[in-house]
Amino acid sequence: MRWPHRPLEKRTNATTLGPFSFAPSQSWDGNDGSWSTFIVRVGSPPQDFRVLPSTEGQETWIPVPEGCTATGDPSNCGTLRGVMPFNGVAGSGFLVNKSSTWISNGIFTLDLENNLGYQGSGLYGFDTAGLQIENSGGLSQTHQVVAGIASKDFYLGIFGLGPKPANFSTYSDPQPSYMKQLRDNNEIPSLSYGYTAGAVYRNDKVLASLTLGGYDASRFQPSSVTYAFGADDSRSLTVGVQNILGLNTLNNAVRLLPDGGNYFLIDSTVPEIWLPKSACDAFASAFGLTYDNKTDRYLVNDTVHDRLLSLNPTITFSLGTSSTPNSGPTQNIVLPYAAFDLQASYPIYQNATKYFPIRRAANDTQYTIGRTFLQEAYIIADYERQNFTVAQAVFSRPMPASDIRAIHPPSANSSTNGTNSASSIPVHQGLSPGAIAGIAVGTVTAVLLIAGIVFLFVFRKRKQHREGETRASAAPAPSSDSTFSEDKKDGALYAPNEVSGDTSRHEMPNHFVHRPSEVDGDTSKWSGAGMQEMDANGISRAEMEGNGYSGMYKGQDGNNRAKVHEIGDGIAYHELPGSEPAAGEKR
């Protein structure tokens, strides 16, 4: 496989570089659909693996050979699980004895998707881990938390995008996540990312897009709706789903969320949409689905499949800051039937089987919007400002050129505050001279345009001038940012500082406490695992560039709700009172 050439850049800790555009692997993998993957390399010398980004996880997981030894496992089990050849030989997983930098830590349970019934243990340790194959301009970090996984619940490995550290009973200090270490080493401008899963059915297979420390503005339609992180730090990307509408289905137009809206977690780790049973029943009727009790999945027979392809129905998710229908600002994300036209294979089914990616949720703690949704949606998560945005993904023929933009931290100078200032710092992927010239020309053009507007404005008739001033005075003033000065490991007490300025200040309550519960792991055998524990200490707030503003989100008591930042051009919204996100507990 040929890797696109990217010029290498010298990196130093003295200067924060721009966002890192993580190039996809060019491959489509998975036993529950066809997904655009990314390559991580682990160990010394490096062993390469194709993995999926996890918006809910924060560690790097890769398959180990023990996951390909069961009766019935195909001969190319390792390849199917994303294991790439090592030293020219196809493998079945990570060979710890071949890495000179591997430090074993023991066996711990995989603390991810437990509420959805996912199970397994991981062989945990520390090793050098890099992004993309060697000599491709990727990043690399030493002493990273790595788990070797045998469980087929997680068929492909994952690359965690979350910033929370990992706590082990074998270590007294939290171990930083990959994203947090990139930020601490000034490799990315902020704890943030932009991601869309790509779509194998679009054009000639549109690959995924993942930007660390920023986003790719070319991959989505601008949205003016921003969501505050959920109060439960294990369900940060919680969004209100007010309605799901099916058009041109077997039952024509139909509401697919009949019992009303609720809050859902956006989680790219899993493929399906986890819904109330009433919603699953509505989907089954509208799309002619058959429920399989053995696998808890919905199947599509050939006759119905052909009919659906002919009808080409669409499914629209109406998202909002509230789950109450028709309240507050909303954002519609439209998915074609092709996004749900998936196949499941071994070990879910012995042979490839058409299925529709919805699952029955036992309760609201399982309400989840999985990777299927992110084929047609772009998510921007900003951990330093505790907010995120979901926008409609863009597909055109040909696809537009990348437009990588940085998300600057709250402490950034006002002159670089805003998502349009990506050109103020270099981008990791390496910009061509033409792109740099284009940015420069665009900047000059913008300055001249602004100057022209100011000139016309000043010389307008007095009456128009007064009207303009009246409109300007009605606009809300931006709030100043709050930053954190303390991150105490004993109790994880977060003490925010106030930022001085002429505008209003928003202060986080000083009672945010993360309460970990450690369970000693038995490292003597693979299945006798202790709990591997995740922590959320030391997360600061981050803002996406623009003229918007963000405050702080307090919780369920209604005080200090986040004033959210707008991205790009949007439409006006009229906000009505609505309930705040319910915090689902993860035990």
Side-chain angles (χ1 to χ4, degrees):
M1 176 183 66
R2 293 179 60 84
W3 194 264
H5 172 70
R6 283 185 172 83
L8 301 180
E9 297 182 18
K10 181 179 180 180
R11 298 182 175 88
T12 66
N13 289 335
T15 302
T16 299
L17 293 178
F20 173 66
S21 181
F22 192 167
S25 70
Q26 316 292 313
S27 296
W28 298 84
D29 300 282
N31 68 330
D32 48 25
S34 190
W35 311 108
S36 180
T37 51
F38 295 79
I39 292 176
V40 298
R41 58 186 193 273
V42 178
S44 302
Q47 302 174 45
D48 296 337
F49 305 87
R50 297 188 303 276
V51 301
L52 291 168
S54 170
T55 57
E56 190 66 5
Q58 50 273 329
E59 301 167 351
T60 301
W61 295 0
I62 50 177
V64 289
E66 288 82 354
C68 287
T69 58
T71 302
D73 283 345
S75 58
N76 61 339
C77 173
T79 300
L80 294 175
R81 300 194 67 177
V83 181
M84 299 179 70
F86 178 59
N87 289 336
V89 178
S92 56
F94 180 52
L95 304 173
V96 297
N97 61 337
K98 297 296 184 180
S99 174
S100 62
T101 47
W102 170 259
I103 302 173
S104 183
N105 187 24
I107 298 169
F108 296 83
T109 56
L110 300 172
D111 189 19
L112 186 62
E113 316 301 351
N114 300 148
N115 65 315
L116 298 181
Y118 284 59
Q119 298 178 349
S121 299
L123 175 61
Y124 275 84
F126 304 95
D127 211 332
T128 299
L131 310 182
Q132 303 177 175
I133 61 174
E134 281 190 294
N135 303 318
S136 66
L139 303 176
S140 181
Q141 302 286 320
T142 59
H143 197 74
Q144 291 302 298
V145 175
V146 175
I149 56 171
S151 170
K152 291 183 175 64
D153 280 1
F154 302 95
Y155 203 63
L156 294 171
I158 66 170
F159 173 69
L161 297 174
K164 294 188 297 184
N167 285 349
F168 297 98
S169 57
T170 50
Y171 280 80
S172 59
D173 297 324
Q175 303 301 307
S177 70
Y178 201 100
M179 288 288 289
K180 184 63 164 59
Q181 196 157 356
L182 285 179
R183 178 73 174 100
D184 290 345
N185 292 341
N186 293 323
E187 295 279 8
I188 55 176
S190 64
L191 274 173
S192 61
Y193 63 82
Y195 172 63
T196 184
V200 71
Y201 53 85
R202 288 285 193 175
N203 300 352
D204 297 319
K205 300 183 178 180
V206 176
L207 296 169
S209 172
L210 176 58
T211 303
L212 309 182
Y215 60 91
D216 186 347
S218 73
R219 294 298 297 265
F220 62 91
Q221 299 174 11
S223 169
S224 61
V225 185
T226 303
Y227 309 91
F229 275 8
D232 182 354
D233 66 5
S234 69
R235 297 177 66 86
S236 295
L237 304 180
T238 297
V239 64
V241 178
Q242 298 185 0
N243 191 20
I244 304 176
L245 177 66
L247 294 179
N248 213 30
T249 72
L250 297 177
N251 297 336
N252 299 316
V254 59
R255 288 184 56 197
L256 298 170
L257 204 58
D259 292 341
N262 215 309
Y263 290 97
F264 285 70
L265 173 69
I266 297 177
D267 183 1
S268 69
T269 318
V270 298
E272 302 100 345
I273 316 294
W274 289 69
L275 298 160
K277 184 179 182 299
S278 61
C280 291
D281 291 343
F283 268 93
S285 175
F287 293 91
L289 312 178
T290 302
Y291 181 66
D292 183 355
N293 286 290
K294 293 182 179 179
T295 63
D296 189 33
R297 286 172 171 82
Y298 285 86
L299 306 183
V300 183
N301 65 43
D302 290 340
T303 302
V304 171
H305 180 255
D306 291 342
R307 177 64 174 152
L308 291 173
L309 290 178
S310 175
L311 289 172
N312 192 26
T314 60
I315 300 97
T316 300
F317 288 73
S318 293
L319 310 181
T321 54
S322 166
S323 65
T324 304
N326 304 315
S327 66
T330 58
Q331 168 73 48
N332 287 341
I333 303 296
V334 182
L335 285 74
Y337 168 68
F340 291 84
D341 186 10
L342 303 182
Q343 291 191 352
S345 55
Y346 181 84
I348 303 172
Y349 291 103
Q350 194 65 35
N351 300 308
T353 302
K354 297 182 185 68
Y355 86 107
F356 196 95
I358 58 172
R359 300 286 293 272
R360 293 178 178 178
N363 51 57
D364 59 4
T365 66
Q366 291 188 331
Y367 293 168
T368 304
I369 301 175
R371 198 182 314 125
T372 291
F373 175 80
L374 290 171
Q375 294 174 112
E376 297 287 329
Y378 191 100
I379 186 168
I380 302 173
D382 189 342
Y383 283 89
E384 295 187 34
R385 284 180 187 78
Q386 299 282 276
N387 60 33
F388 66 100
T389 297
V390 183
Q392 184 79 50
V394 165
F395 297 98
S396 62
R397 190 184 293 271
M399 289 294 288
S402 297
D403 183 6
I404 307 298
R405 303 187 187 183
I407 298 176
H408 294 292
S411 58
N413 186 281
S414 60
S415 64
T416 61
N417 187 27
T419 52
N420 294 321
S421 60
S423 59
S424 62
I425 50 181
V427 177
H428 275 301
Q429 67 172 5
L431 292 175
S432 66
I436 296 173
I439 292 173
V441 171
T443 302
V444 172
T445 302
V447 171
L448 293 176
L449 179 59
I450 293 171
I453 292 172
V454 171
F455 178 86
L456 292 175
F457 180 82
V458 170
F459 287 93
R460 292 179 68 176
K461 291 184 297 183
R462 176 179 291 274
K463 180 179 178 180
Q464 292 172 318
H465 181 69
R466 286 198 301 267
E467 291 172 349
E469 290 179 333
T470 301
R471 287 192 296 270
S473 65
S479 63
S480 58
D481 296 305
S482 295
T483 56
F484 299 116
S485 61
E486 282 189 323
D487 179 7
K488 297 181 180 178
K489 182 169 68 69
D490 50 345
L493 176 63
Y494 299 140
N497 283 339
E498 293 187 353
V499 181
S500 60
D502 296 332
T503 56
S504 61
R505 304 199 256 295
H506 295 266
E507 182 174 344
M508 288 291 290
N510 61 6
H511 57 271
F512 276 164
V513 178
H514 177 76
R515 299 180 177 87
S517 56
E518 293 189 358
V519 181
D520 290 333
D522 178 3
T523 61
S524 62
K525 55 185 180 299
W526 184 269
S527 60
M531 293 300 295
Q532 185 272 330
E533 175 185 25
M534 314 311 301
D535 194 6
N537 297 352
I539 302 176
S540 58
R541 312 299 186 226
E543 176 180 60
M544 290 179 294
E545 309 167 296
N547 295 325
Y549 57 95
S550 69
M552 309 311 298
Y553 177 73
K554 185 172 183 178
Q556 295 182 345
D557 58 4
N559 296 325
N560 289 347
R561 281 187 64 83
K563 295 181 178 180
V564 298
H565 161 69
E566 297 187 354
I567 301 179
D569 297 328
I571 58 176
Y573 290 86
H574 301 276
E575 183 170 358
L576 300 175
S579 58
E580 295 186 357
E585 291 188 351
K586 185 177 181 181
R587 299 289 182 182

